[in-house]
């Protein structure tokens, strides 16, 4: 190898070490290691040499190539860390600036009202029970005293799941259970009695489904079920509980109830509960007797003493255990308390509606701090 190569290497290493930026360094790389670069051309000369010449020249040229490659890598590392330092120096973080506002979600009125209900009833010794939304017809109907042919089943506009292996309903094997979307929260009564026995004090809030749709009905909506099972329970307990619940929930002492005889297969006797209200500024405001001037009654919920056949089917002795139950629409309670007028908007997922009617996550309902959210 010639001295020219030595001085060429020296010059190249100096140029690489002095490359001011990535582009300059790349130009140096191409000049040496590129297809027409001097190192590459030197490597090509090896082919024309005799074996002895190659034995001497080969390692030298390879060593030159390694030296150039190493110098390039080193310079690249230095340039990179210089660039990072420059970036860090130019980016100043001013910790005294106010933090940018983060958009915050709201608690849906249905969730809020369910929390409020849990708070009100927890104070009366109730716990919160749940059951599956995909139910079977035994829990949803049969055990609630609605046998197969019962006309009340037809009232429920039920969403049934396709019956596996059966062409028609009557092809089902005897005792097989058809699955459906629960039409009410009442099956949780059955599940709670079967699982926990008596005595029992539960509320069961949750989603229910019916094939029904207009301004006041959506195919999915929410109910809360209440159930008390104990010895010596009578209608007086039911009335006191409902009155105490509604006064606490609506935060008014002047709530007046009217109990009307009614019919539900799972209660005997059954009562429909009305509340007195007046129209103020175009809004229904609960309070006062429905018979007072300017007032009227509004149907609010269904309830009654649990039918002894239901207690029996749930595995309890109806001669020892009695109880009462009630069911009420959660969406309805929310609309009455917070003044929405279209049920469908509850489930549209419109962020503007949620921003307006939703609640702050910090607004936890408590009996001491007020069960209702601050408006
Ligand atoms: N399950 C009934 C419905 O969905 C509501 C109901 C009425 C529930 C009376 C009850 C009750 O627990 O006692 O229409």
């Amino acid at each position: 190898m010639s001295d020219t190569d030595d001085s060429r290497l020296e010059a190249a290493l100096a140029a690489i070490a002095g490359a001011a930026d990535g582009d300059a360094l790349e130009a140096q790389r191409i000049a040496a290691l590129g297809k027409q670069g001097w190192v590459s051309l030197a490597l090509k000369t090896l082919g024309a040499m005799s074996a002895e010449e190659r034995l001497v020249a080969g390692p030298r040229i390879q060593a030159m190539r390694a030296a150039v490659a190493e110098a390039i890598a080193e310079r690249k590392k230095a340039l990179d860390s210089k660039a990072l330092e420059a970036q860090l120096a130019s980016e100043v973080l001013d910790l005294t600036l106010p933090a940018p506002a983060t958009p915050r979600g709201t608690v849906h009125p249905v969730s809020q009202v369910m929390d409020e209900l849990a708070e009100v009833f927890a104070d009366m010794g109730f716990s919160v029970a749940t059951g599956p939304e995909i139910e079977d017809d035994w829990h949803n109907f049969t055990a609630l005293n609605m046998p197969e042919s019962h006309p009340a089943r037809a009232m429920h506009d039920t969403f049934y799941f396709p019956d596996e292996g059966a062409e028609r309903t009557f092809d089902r094997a005897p005792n097989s259970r058809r699955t459906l979307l629960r039409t009410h929260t009442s099956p949780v009564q059955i599940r709670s009695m079967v699982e926990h026995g008596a005595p029992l004090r539960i509320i069961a809030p949750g989603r229910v489904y019916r094939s029904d749709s207009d301004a006041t009905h959506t195919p999915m909506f929410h109910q809360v079920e209440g159930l008390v099972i104990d010895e010596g329970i009578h209608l007086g307990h039911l009335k006191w509980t409902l009155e105490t619940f509604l006064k606490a929930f609506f935060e008014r002492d002047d709530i007046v109830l009217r109990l009307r005889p009614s019919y539900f297969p799972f209660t005997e006797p059954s009562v429909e509960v009305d509340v007195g209200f007046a129209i103020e500024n175009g809004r229904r405001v609960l309070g006062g007797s429905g018979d007072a001037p300017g007032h009227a009654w509004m149907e609010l919920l269904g309830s009654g003493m649990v039918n002894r056949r239901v207690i029996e089917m749930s595995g309890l002795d109806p001669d020892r255990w009695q109880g009462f139950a009630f069911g009420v629409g959660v969406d309805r309670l929310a609309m009455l308390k917070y003044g929405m007028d279209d049920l469908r908007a509850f489930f549209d997922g419109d962020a503007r509606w949620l921003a307006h009617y939703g609640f702050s996550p910090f607004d936890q309902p408590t009996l001491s701090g007020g069960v209702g959210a601050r408006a």
Side-chain angles (χ1 to χ4, degrees):
M1 267 299 120
S2 63
D3 290 344
T4 21
D5 278 346
D6 276 347
S7 55
R8 212 166 195 181
L9 176 62
E10 228 167 86
L13 293 181
I16 289 167
D21 55 28
D23 288 345
L25 185 61
E26 176 64 5
Q28 289 302 322
R29 190 192 65 79
I30 292 168
L33 305 178
K35 250 194 192 153
Q36 299 300 315
W38 62 272
V39 177
S40 306
L41 295 177
L43 277 168
K44 273 190 197 148
T45 62
L46 289 174
M49 290 181 193
S50 68
E52 285 126 48
E53 282 175 324
R54 200 180 302 135
L55 215 58
V56 182
R60 246 188 103 176
I61 299 175
Q62 291 295 358
M64 275 196 311
R65 185 165 77 161
V68 168
E70 194 184 321
I72 289 174
E74 212 166 276
R75 185 61 189 153
K76 184 170 173 3
K77 223 163 104 185
L79 285 175
D80 283 351
S81 73
K82 229 170 81 183
L84 182 63
E85 268 166 38
Q87 191 190 350
L88 288 177
S90 69
E91 273 177 13
V92 181
L93 195 60
D94 184 350
L95 295 176
T96 65
L97 284 175
T102 327
R104 210 195 286 147
T106 58
V107 175
H108 195 285
V110 170
S111 304
Q112 176 75 21
V113 164
M114 283 183 175
D115 288 349
E116 293 179 14
L117 292 169
E119 185 66 20
V120 167
F121 278 101
D123 199 48
M124 294 193 265
F126 286 65
S127 49
V128 174
T130 54
E133 289 168 32
I134 298 176
E135 254 302 358
D136 58 59
D137 61 357
W138 189 81
H139 287 92
N140 195 80
F141 293 127
T142 313
L144 287 161
N145 197 32
M146 287 188 246
E148 293 258 335
S149 57
H150 200 286
R153 283 201 184 204
M155 280 161 44
H156 274 214
D157 295 318
T158 311
F159 288 115
Y160 283 99
F161 284 90
D163 203 4
E164 262 172 60
E167 291 274 303
R168 294 152 301 201
T169 313
F170 50 81
D171 285 344
R172 265 182 299 145
N175 303 323
S176 80
R177 293 183 182 180
R178 251 193 114 173
T179 45
L180 46 82
L181 290 175
R182 67 177 181 190
T183 58
H184 50 178
T185 43
S186 302
V188 185
Q189 289 188 30
I190 309 300
R191 290 184 176 274
S192 299
M193 283 189 271
V194 168
E195 196 174 323
H196 301 294
L200 204 59
R201 261 187 252 182
I202 55 129
I203 57 163
R207 295 189 190 98
V208 300
Y209 302 83
R210 288 184 205 178
S211 154
D212 209 353
S213 190
D214 59 42
T216 52
H217 298 88
T218 49
M220 186 280 303
F221 59 105
H222 300 83
Q223 287 188 333
V224 61
E225 194 79 11
L227 174 70
V228 168
I229 298 283
D230 211 327
E231 289 170 309
I233 296 291
H234 54 71
L235 211 58
H237 296 122
L238 167 63
K239 189 173 184 221
W240 179 87
T241 304
L242 291 178
E243 229 166 57
T244 306
F245 145 49
L246 293 170
K247 283 178 179 173
F249 177 75
F250 287 108
E251 298 176 282
R252 291 184 72 117
D253 274 335
D254 62 346
I255 299 282
V256 181
L257 302 187
R258 181 176 75 174
L259 273 54
R260 257 183 312 112
S262 182
Y263 173 75
F264 299 103
F266 32 88
T267 45
E268 180 58 38
S270 302
V271 285
E272 201 91 56
V273 178
D274 300 337
V275 277
F277 74 98
I279 302 278
E280 285 171 22
N281 304 320
R283 253 185 75 176
R284 289 176 173 213
V285 177
L286 300 197
S289 162
D291 294 327
H295 284 64
W297 294 109
M298 167 184 11
E299 191 181 308
L300 190 63
L301 58 89
S303 64
M305 301 305 296
V306 181
N307 191 308
R308 51 182 292 124
R309 300 188 54 170
V310 172
I311 294 180
E312 212 165 17
M313 276 187 278
S314 303
L316 298 176
D317 175 5
D319 288 327
R320 175 163 180 213
W321 304 105
Q322 302 78 45
F324 65 80
F326 58 89
V328 54
V330 173
D331 318 298
R332 185 87 193 295
L333 289 175
M335 289 167 88
L336 280 170
K337 184 164 177 178
Y338 294 114
M340 306 84 166
D341 53 14
D342 190 339
L343 177 64
R344 287 169 297 195
F346 273 61
F347 313 120
D348 280 348
D350 185 332
R352 293 164 302 178
W353 188 89
L354 287 166
H356 183 78
Y357 286 112
F359 296 92
S360 159
F362 296 114
D363 216 347
Q364 289 291 324
T366 60
L367 281 180
S368 53
V371 79
R374 286 167 283 282

